[in-house]
Amino acid sequence: MIDTSLDVINKLGLHARASGKLIEVTSKYRSNIQLGKGKELIDAKNIMSLLMLGAGKGTTLRLVVDGTDEEKACEEIKALFAAKFHEGE
């Protein structure tokens, strides 16, 4: 199991388009992938749950990935956040 943190650095935060891109990544993996603030974790494969997080720019999120492909999933998710969801900022 991987338990780490991610910083939301894109200008608009985890809005609908960014959440959609995150779902494209998380849904490719068999691992259980959760995001949240502190102890409250949500399913990172569920668009409504992601939107309800209300994660704006500057938010630090907890990422928990557990499963057979957890390392690859974690790497790709971190890369997506680092690339600011490819929003061209």
Side-chain angles (χ1 to χ4, degrees):
M1 180 171 79
I2 298 171
D3 190 338
T4 188
S5 62
L6 294 168
D7 292 323
V8 180
I9 59 173
N10 60 311
K11 188 164 80 173
L12 298 174
L14 203 52
H15 60 95
R17 191 172 28 238
S19 293
K21 289 179 181 182
L22 182 56
I23 293 288
E24 286 178 22
V25 171
T26 59
S27 62
K28 294 191 308 188
Y29 295 98
R30 301 184 86 183
S31 292
N32 181 30
I33 303 171
Q34 297 179 302
L35 271 177
K37 299 176 186 175
K39 294 182 181 183
E40 290 291 321
L41 295 173
I42 57 96
D43 179 3
K45 296 180 183 181
N46 182 309
I47 188 89
M48 291 307 294
S49 295
L50 286 173
L51 293 172
M52 295 299 287
L53 271 177
K57 182 177 182 176
T59 303
T60 298
L61 295 174
R62 182 175 168 209
L63 172 66
V64 179
V65 188
D66 188 22
T68 57
D69 51 7
E70 63 190 29
E71 288 182 26
K72 286 191 77 157
C74 188
E75 286 175 23
E76 191 169 352
I77 293 165
K78 283 183 172 184
L80 182 64
F81 272 75
K84 299 180 180 180
F85 298 91
H86 308 288
E87 292 180 342
E89 301 178 12

